[in-house]
Amino acid sequence: MDLLEYQAKELFRNIGIPVLPAQRIDRPKDLKGLTIPYPVVLKSQVRIGGRGRVGGVKFVENTIDAIAAAHTIFNLPIMGEYPQALLAEAKYNADLEFYLAVVLNRTLRRPVLLGSQQGGIDVQAAIEQMQHVIVDDQFSPYYARRLAIKMGLRGQLIESVSEIVEKMYQLFVQNDLDLVEINPLGVSAKGELMALDGKVTVNDDALARHPHLAALDPKAEQKQAAYLHETPVVMESDGHIGIICNGAGLTMATMDMVCQAGGKPASFLNIGGETRWDFCHTTLSQRLDSGLELMMQHKHMRVVLINLISSLVPCDEIAALITSSLERIKTNPPPPNTKINKLRSTTLTLPPVRTPSLVVRLVGNQCESAQALLEAAQIPMLSSLDDAVMRAVVLAKSGGRSA
């Protein structure tokens, strides 16, 4: 996941890499409340490079020019991507512009430090002059100084650039990143350094450990909403057993065992494993509650087999979620189909909608407490998956009633 410049610079600021005063602009009229003195530079916030060459970066001297430039940039697609925001940043006079990066080399399986005395929009022309240092052991300031020297730096610049590289590496390791890039790193006439642009690429597989980064995903809310409202997969129209598990492998294995035991799955739902970055008690509760309610709407459902393995959420909490969901569903049962719903609105007397039986198998902490909670609700909990599957199949064949 690539971060936008203003997001990357917030990480820079927090780690101690110098950045300019800046302000996010969500619409042109926001520039009327700009707190940064002019002149400023307006930058299109897109994840595609090369914005400066196509008009996505403009210097302005006053509010009128800034608003006009903002309208232009907001309506300027860069490789098909329109900016949702701009970054207004103080202007900086740089005598020199360097390129610095820390990148994960997947072939070497090691971090690599990159540096060049030629940065900015012309960095591609200097690719052959790029210097690199492979971090093949525990990181130390030696690696950063070695890069600065290989770049051809002299005097105080060796020390000051090395300090920036060290902080970039700290950011890289602490957040499990794939890339930290500063291009350009501006150097003023007085020798002061400033990260004038930045790029950060987050390792998607590490988002579970860094929810503050996962929250920066522009599609996180849509992904979470889709995840929470995913419906069970219908298997057999004449099946009688619903299956709820966490994890694709566990779901498939449970379904196979039900079939091998002579049962007929009606539908199954994977409520998500604990490796998801957004896994939490609330997510589990919403998915389990929604899954149970949807299972109950299947007109042929006789038994719902719940098979969950959890280490983050104790089993007694899961048991409490199951009992509370079942009690709510029993109090306000969903209609199995529209025809039944219409008949119930008439004066005909129809039998109440029967709630399918539950069979639960939980693995994790606090199993004894979970079993006590479920037994009080007359819900069987078994530790063996074989036993839980057989119990579900027997109940389904007896019409959902205990044999």
Side-chain angles (χ1 to χ4, degrees), residues 39-94:
V40 299
V41 57
L42 299 179
K43 301 180 181 181
S44 178
Q45 295 300 283
V46 292
R47 292 172 173 81
I48 306 296
R51 59 187 175 175
R53 296 188 182 93
V54 296
V57 176
K58 293 184 179 295
F59 291 92
V60 291
E61 301 286 340
N62 54 61
T63 302
I64 294 176
D65 290 345
I67 293 175
H71 276 289
T72 300
I73 297 175
F74 269 117
N75 290 284
L76 176 68
I78 300 176
M79 297 293 289
E81 181 182 355
Y82 285 88
Q84 299 300 311
L86 307 184
L87 183 66
E89 193 171 64
K91 187 177 180 181
Y92 187 81
N93 295 316

Side-chain angles (χ1 to χ4, degrees), residues 34 70 175 251 280 282-283 291 353 360 395:
L34 190 65
N175 293 278
T251 305
C280 63
T282 302
T283 301
V353 176
V360 178
L395 278 173

Side-chain angles (χ1 to χ4, degrees), residues 281-397:
H281 182 282
T282 302
T283 301
L284 177 68
S285 175
Q286 290 175 306
R287 288 277 284 170
L288 184 57
D289 187 71
S290 174
L292 276 172
E293 181 171 337
L294 289 167
M295 289 287 187
M296 299 300 182
Q297 295 182 36
H298 194 291
K299 62 181 179 179
H300 295 306
M301 192 73 67
R302 295 176 182 174
V303 180
V304 176
L305 172 59
I306 301 175
N307 180 22
L308 304 178
I309 298 177
S310 179
S311 60
L312 299 180
V313 181
C315 290
D316 56 351
E317 293 187 21
I318 297 176
L321 291 173
I322 293 171
T323 55
S324 61
S325 294
L326 187 62
E327 186 61 32
R328 181 186 59 77
I329 292 169
K330 284 182 177 179
T331 305
N332 300 293
N337 54 49
T338 55
K339 290 182 179 179
I340 292 291
N341 192 41
K342 289 178 180 178
L343 285 172
R344 289 186 181 282
S345 66
T346 68
T347 56
L348 293 175
T349 302
L350 294 175
V353 176
R354 181 178 55 79
T355 304
S357 300
L358 291 187
V359 176
V360 178
R361 184 234 183 186
L362 299 178
V363 176
N365 300 322
Q366 305 298 325
C367 279
E368 291 183 2
S369 301
Q371 188 162 11
L373 284 170
L374 292 172
E375 285 180 353
Q378 298 183 333
I379 301 172
M381 173 179 160
L382 299 100
S383 58
S384 166
L385 179 54
D386 288 327
D387 293 343
V389 168
M390 188 55 66
R391 180 68 175 269
V393 171
V394 170
L395 278 173
K397 290 183 176 179

